[in-house]
Amino acid sequence: MEFSDFKLNRQLLDAVAEAGYTLPTPIQAKAIPAVLGGQDIMGVAQTGTGKTAAYLLPLLMKVKYAQGKNLRALILAPTRELAMQIDQAIAQLAKYTDIRHVVAYGGVGMKAQLNQVKEGIDILTATPGRFMDLYRTNEMPVKELKTLVLDEADKMMDMGFMPQIRQILEVIPTKRQNLLFSATMPQKVLTLSEEFLEYPTVVEVAPSATTADTVSQIAYEVPNLKTKMNLLLHLLQGQEDFNRVLIFTRTRTIANNVFKYLTRKFEAESLRVIHANKAQSSRINAMEDFKAGKVRIMVATDVVSRGIDISLVSHVINFDVPLVYEDYVHRIGRTGRALQAGKAITFITVAEAYHVGKIQEIIRQEIPREPLPEGLDIVETPFEESQMMLREIDNQRKKDNPDFKGAFHEKKRDILEREKRESKRARKRGIIRRRRGF
């Protein structure tokens, strides 16, 4: 199948060819005809497989050209980065049309976004909160809205957007086409789909939470944080192979610490850090520099693990194992995109092994372990860190077994049981000795 096999106009086909798309991906081949046919869609596909174009091309075909002043299609995204990415894709695919599109997100003033909307709009890409901000101004009529798209629906649920989505569903027309796309399909997303999709066509090109074949995965078992730092530095020394690297951490504090550590080892111009505490302009500039290849290493929290299309990322390194297990799929989906080969590396401490086990259940495969590189400086685990990891392991065991009282309790119980056994054996020996006349 080729893009010319779809009922797309010449303007879209020219933009597709100019963008370098050759053949439709499986999700595009299945979704585009269904969306053009007016069906509600529930799309499930791995990250990096072309989900955005799978709904944008038929949406642009349905909108076709600028008309009136009021909004006709709404795309909701969980983060400002993803909203911007989608709007950039619209600009690329709609470049030979006069379709008017606006992107709106929080963290910046609303006035400029509202002025764009008032000038006339066909497609709005927005985060849920900012959409409601615009709607409450009464300057953005929605009565002509015909299509609603929810992108990265699982992230929407993880970030607690369900109340805002329900508000949006109450104020937009009930007669519309609904499209829901996600890389994973947990129960909460299925519950959401039941609320607003009518007899949806399920477009699934891989089981939910499947990782892409283009990404090879390995893991290193490391004893502590300091050894993680040493291993990270050891790997990044190979600048030819590790030429565009995304490093994911669990928290902003760890992200900042990793960034500061690396700035002492590499040129500052080759590094950036991005997380929710960074200013909007700083995040945008960092992403643009990384996309352009000006930056070799990006340290980030999961703020960039979803939906961001950065080509030719050579490696994703999970410095920390994510606690939201579906995020593992999204993290490693930043590499191996558009059929390019990529590599995902995960560092695992004993306290994180539990979470890796849960991730392996979700992705239905085992992540191969690699021995630590020869010559790596393996540091002895400090007492405080060791105790912290033991407490974490206790908490994990309590999740699986509510009757588990903790390692200290178990140790005390084992000592008492051993003393009982020894006392019983001693009494038994005493009885035998008396019987023999000793």
Side-chain angles (χ1 to χ4, degrees):
M1 182 173 286
E2 298 180 353
F3 284 102
S4 57
D5 294 326
F6 304 126
K7 296 177 181 178
L8 302 176
N9 59 28
R10 176 48 53 190
Q11 291 94 326
L12 290 177
L13 290 175
D14 287 347
V16 165
E18 194 169 307
Y21 298 169
T22 52
L23 297 174
T25 65
I27 186 68
Q28 292 164 358
K30 290 185 177 183
I32 291 174
V35 177
L36 286 172
Q39 303 170 39
D40 276 15
I41 300 295
M42 184 162 66
V44 185
Q46 305 145 334
T47 55
T49 55
K51 288 200 305 294
T52 305
Y55 66 76
L56 279 186
L57 284 171
L59 177 60
L60 292 170
M61 184 62 198
K62 290 165 78 72
V63 173
K64 198 168 284 190
Y65 49 81
Q67 183 178 331
K69 293 193 71 174
N70 295 338
L71 176 66
R72 290 189 285 155
L74 170 63
I75 303 170
L76 293 176
T79 65
R80 66 192 76 177
E81 284 81 12
L82 179 55
M84 292 169 59
Q85 184 74 44
I86 294 168
D87 188 65
Q88 289 168 5
I90 295 173
Q92 183 181 50
L93 295 174
K95 65 185 300 183
Y96 295 118
T97 75
D98 62 353
I99 292 173
R100 299 156 301 177
H101 55 96
V102 175
V103 59
Y105 45 80
V108 296
M110 188 174 64
K111 186 176 179 181
Q113 297 169 358
L114 184 58
N115 287 339
Q116 285 181 288
V117 168
K118 288 161 66 175
E119 288 173 5
I121 182 175
D122 300 298
I123 302 174
L124 174 67
T125 305
T127 53
R130 182 47 56 101
F131 171 82
M132 289 306 299
D133 292 340
L134 292 169
Y135 175 77
R136 291 189 185 103
T137 66
N138 294 320
E139 300 282 357
M140 186 179 68
V142 296
K143 61 184 178 181
E144 293 178 31
L145 193 146
K146 296 290 190 293
T147 307
L148 170 65
V149 182
L150 260 66
D151 202 352
E152 300 289 2
D154 50 354
K155 185 65 172 177
M156 294 268 199
M157 301 299 97
D158 291 339
M159 296 177 69
F161 281 126
M162 192 65 198
Q164 289 170 310
I165 291 172
R166 287 198 173 109
Q167 285 181 335
I168 293 168
L169 294 177
E170 287 177 4
V171 302
I172 62 177
T174 55
K175 191 175 181 181
R176 62 178 187 272
Q177 183 181 22
N178 300 296
L179 313 176
L180 182 152
F181 284 83
S182 185
T184 64
M185 197 59 62
Q187 183 56 47
K188 51 195 171 185
V189 175
L190 291 173
T191 301
L192 169 65
S193 70
E194 290 166 1
E195 288 194 24
F196 85 105
L197 294 178
E198 288 191 25
Y199 307 105
T201 298
V202 178
V203 178
E204 188 172 11
V205 297
S208 175
T210 302
T211 56
D213 293 336
T214 52
V215 181
S216 62
Q217 305 169 62
I218 64 168
Y220 291 103
E221 294 176 342
V222 293
N224 48 52
L225 177 62
K226 180 59 178 172
T227 307
K228 276 188 179 184
M229 290 286 200
N230 292 342
L231 177 57
L232 180 64
L233 179 60
H234 178 91
L235 295 175
L236 293 177
Q237 299 290 356
Q239 297 193 24
E240 190 172 329
D241 290 333
F242 289 75
N243 51 63
R244 193 175 297 184
V245 185
L246 256 175
I247 302 168
F248 283 107
T249 67
R250 194 178 298 164
T251 67
R252 291 171 289 202
T253 300
I254 298 174
N256 284 331
N257 289 341
V258 170
F259 174 72
K260 289 174 185 175
Y261 175 76
L262 293 178
T263 53
R264 296 197 296 268
K265 309 296 180 179
F266 300 101
E267 293 181 3
E269 292 77 15
S270 67
L271 297 155
R272 294 289 187 279
V273 61
I274 182 171
H275 51 65
N277 265 16
K278 288 287 182 180
Q280 176 67 14
S281 58
S282 173
R283 289 163 63 173
I284 292 171
N285 292 338
M287 290 299 301
E288 292 302 321
D289 287 346
F290 190 61
K291 286 181 186 179
K294 298 176 183 177
V295 169
R296 182 169 79 98
I297 302 167
M298 172 83 82
V299 184
T301 57
D302 286 302
V303 72
V304 296
S305 69
R306 305 277 186 137
I308 304 303
D309 187 9
I310 304 169
S311 61
L312 303 179
V313 173
S314 62
H315 293 76
V316 165
I317 297 177
N318 294 307
F319 188 84
D320 299 311
V321 177
L323 299 184
V324 177
Y325 303 139
E326 288 84 359
D327 280 347
Y328 177 82
V329 178
H330 291 278
R331 284 184 179 189
I332 73 171
R334 298 311 100 207
T335 187
R337 299 179 74 81
L339 303 181
Q340 298 290 323
K343 196 164 188 177
I345 301 171
T346 302
F347 299 169
I348 309 171
T349 63
V350 290
E352 294 172 309
Y354 172 89
H355 304 301
V356 172
K358 296 295 185 183
I359 288 168
Q360 290 178 155
E361 290 177 15
I362 288 174
I363 65 176
R364 294 174 293 277
Q365 66 184 100
E366 187 173 344
I367 303 170
R369 303 317 196 253
E370 289 277 327
L372 292 173
E374 288 186 16
L376 178 69
D377 184 11
I378 301 173
V379 181
E380 185 177 347
T381 306
F383 177 77
E384 274 191 22
E385 187 177 354
S386 176
Q387 291 298 104
M388 184 179 66
M389 288 194 286
L390 288 174
R391 284 194 294 270
E392 175 64 20
I393 292 168
D394 271 2
N395 292 334
Q396 295 159 5
R397 294 181 67 180
K398 286 176 185 175
K399 284 181 185 177
D400 289 340
N401 179 14
D403 296 329
F404 176 67
K405 303 299 183 183
F408 177 78
H409 179 87
E410 276 198 346
K411 186 175 181 181
K412 185 176 179 181
R413 185 193 64 196
D414 291 343
I415 292 171
L416 289 172
E417 288 180 354
R418 186 169 65 249
E419 288 176 348
K420 285 179 183 178
R421 289 195 300 270
E422 290 175 354
S423 177
K424 187 176 181 180
R425 283 196 294 266
R427 287 197 303 271
K428 190 174 181 180
R429 285 196 299 270
I431 293 170
I432 293 171
R433 287 167 66 88
R434 285 197 300 273
R435 284 177 178 172
R436 292 178 177 176
F438 290 104

